[in-house]
Amino acid sequence: MLFDRGKHTGLQMNHPQKLYKYRSFNPYTLRLLCEDKVYYAHPNSFNDPLDSNPTIQNDLDINSLKNLYQRMHENDSKRHIGKIFEFENHFGNNQELTIQEYKVEQSTHFKMCAANQCDNMKIQAKDEADFIQKLTKECKTFLDKKLADWGVLSLAKRWDCPLMWSHYADNHHGICIEYDTEKSYCRTLNSVDYSGQRSIKASDLMQSELHGSIEAWQKIQKAYFFKKASDWKYEEEWRCLASARPGEHAAPFRISGIYFGLRCDPAVIKTIFLLLCNQNEPRVSFYQINDLKGDYSLDKNEIDFDQRAIYYAGGFLLRKSDNRLLSEFII
């Protein structure tokens, strides 16, 4: 399942109507636009190694923590078997063992393995504090493995952030893609929290893993994927999660606009304009970023839809505001 529409999801209802993706212009960006796809990154590839890498804050007694470890160990084993095991290929058509019998047999086996591993850790621990530390560390490892196949689509709240243009759009040589979130296929669209600690309570893990608490799972998701250091606050980031796997997937939103950077090559403008200008309604808007005299703020000028016939006939683009020449090239 690509977009997590299950009971363990949380959609922030007051999300912006428009969200933005800054990108360099290259063949990969062009292909994503052609195929109407986006890239969901693995958290391991993020700029900040602390991003999506929370710690586990133990607030459980030792017996409860042991129960949590054993349950997470069991669940991890079940997920592993589910990925590598195809029942029909394994048993064939003439096997007497049924799927349900196999599940019961394996469940008992997983419980025994988890209990044995827990006992081994206790024997190897220097003292109770060391045992608790080992259990907590293993719980974090199991959580990381559980979320290892999740991908993150990072978006911005603004199109006019100078730092974002410099950091993510090739110093204004690139573009900024505008998405309309009104009809979203993403059920986990939330803003990033730049305050607080990057920690998950063991008690929330307990409620989620042992009791199936939706509220606890949403807290875990938020702490894992939607928290960053305050230094990143300028990004005003929003994130959409895909629970299938990181990589390319169909865009969960409609492209509603393209912004061209201050240094964007006219050939880039031409290429993207010709690619998207004849899309069916609602049509894509195109904007040229401009600087404001005496200020560091950014402005935009729309390329007027009414001028499209002129673009094809004359081979140039016009600004909507004053019809001055934006860029010339032969079409």
Side-chain angles (χ1 to χ4, degrees):
M1 180 167 54
L2 172 56
F3 301 114
D4 196 346
R5 294 175 178 271
K7 63 181 180 178
H8 297 317
T9 60
L11 176 65
Q12 192 166 322
M13 300 307 296
N14 59 336
H15 58 77
Q17 185 176 351
K18 307 286 186 182
L19 287 171
Y20 303 89
K21 184 67 178 181
Y22 294 82
R23 291 200 65 92
S24 301
F25 181 81
N26 50 45
Y28 184 68
T29 294
L30 191 60
R31 183 162 66 81
L32 290 178
L33 289 173
C34 286
E35 299 176 0
D36 195 22
K37 290 184 176 181
V38 294
Y39 183 79
Y40 288 80
H42 193 286
N44 286 347
S45 68
F46 289 163
N47 296 332
D48 185 355
L50 301 183
D51 186 355
S52 297
N53 186 22
T55 59
I56 303 299
Q57 177 187 345
N58 180 43
D59 56 348
L60 299 173
D61 61 71
I62 190 167
N63 289 327
S64 297
L65 186 60
K66 286 170 59 178
N67 290 337
L68 173 61
Y69 164 80
Q70 291 181 201
R71 177 60 64 87
M72 295 189 78
H73 189 292
E74 294 171 31
N75 292 342
D76 179 70
S77 299
K78 292 175 183 177
R79 282 191 297 272
H80 180 67
I81 290 296
K83 290 180 180 180
I84 65 173
F85 176 75
E86 291 291 336
F87 181 84
E88 292 79 6
N89 293 336
H90 183 76
F91 289 112
N93 297 324
N94 300 320
Q95 293 293 331
E96 297 180 358
L97 192 64
T98 66
I99 293 177
Q100 188 58 37
E101 288 172 341
Y102 177 79
K103 287 182 177 179
V104 171
E105 178 185 296
Q106 290 302 304
S107 180
T108 302
H109 174 69
F110 294 152
K111 288 180 183 293
M112 292 177 58
C113 289
N116 290 338
Q117 288 281 45
C118 189
D119 291 340
N120 289 337
M121 272 197 294
K122 186 175 182 180
I123 293 172
Q124 296 172 8
K126 301 175 183 178
D127 49 33
E128 184 174 289
D130 187 41
F131 181 41
I132 291 174
Q133 185 177 5
K134 290 179 182 295
L135 288 172
T136 304
K137 182 179 179 180
E138 287 300 309
C139 288
K140 172 60 164 56
T141 299
F142 289 136
L143 179 61
D144 289 340
K145 292 171 69 175
K146 180 177 182 178
L147 297 175
D149 289 336
W150 288 55
V152 180
L153 172 61
S154 297
L155 301 165
K157 187 179 179 181
R158 298 168 50 196
W159 57 266
D160 60 347
C161 177
L163 286 175
M164 295 293 283
W165 277 103
S166 297
H167 294 168
Y168 298 106
D170 192 18
N171 300 314
H172 274 274
H173 292 286
I175 64 173
C176 178
I177 306 169
E178 177 185 88
Y179 291 102
D180 188 337
T181 65
E182 183 178 358
K183 295 182 179 179
S184 169
Y185 296 100
C186 182
R187 294 291 302 276
T188 51
L189 178 62
N190 287 283
S191 59
V192 170
D193 181 7
Y194 301 97
S195 62
Q197 302 296 314
R198 60 178 188 97
S199 61
I200 294 172
K201 291 183 178 180
S203 57
D204 286 332
L205 279 174
M206 182 100 172
Q207 289 298 316
S208 175
E209 296 289 329
L210 274 74
H211 307 295
S213 170
I214 299 174
E215 181 181 359
W217 177 241
Q218 289 176 343
K219 288 181 180 179
I220 293 166
Q221 265 194 345
K222 182 175 181 180
Y224 201 99
F225 292 110
F226 297 98
K227 278 186 171 289
K228 293 180 72 171
S230 58
D231 305 78
W232 297 97
K233 192 173 183 178
Y234 74 92
E235 292 186 339
E236 297 186 73
E237 184 178 354
W238 284 69
R239 288 179 170 178
C240 177
L241 304 182
S243 59
R245 66 188 185 280
E248 297 175 22
H249 296 292
F253 320 105
R254 179 184 68 85
I255 295 177
S256 56
I258 301 290
Y259 296 72
F260 301 106
L262 284 167
R263 297 168 175 165
C264 193
D265 192 287
V268 173
I269 299 175
K270 170 186 175 179
T271 301
I272 295 179
F273 178 80
L274 293 179
L275 174 67
L276 300 177
C277 70
N278 286 326
Q279 283 194 350
N280 295 328
E281 297 291 345
R283 304 181 81 175
V284 176
S285 298
F286 298 91
Y287 305 93
Q288 174 68 55
I289 294 297
N290 295 292
D291 60 302
L292 294 176
K293 293 183 178 180
D295 196 351
Y296 290 102
S297 302
L298 298 177
D299 195 11
K300 63 180 179 180
N301 288 101
E302 184 177 358
I303 301 171
D304 195 348
F305 283 127
D306 295 336
Q307 301 292 341
R308 290 176 189 236
I310 299 177
Y311 302 153
Y312 286 108
F316 51 80
L317 302 179
L318 299 177
R319 287 181 179 166
K320 180 178 181 180
S321 59
D322 54 12
N323 286 344
R324 286 182 297 166
L325 187 64
L326 182 67
S327 55
E328 293 189 8
F329 38 74
I330 301 302
I331 295 182

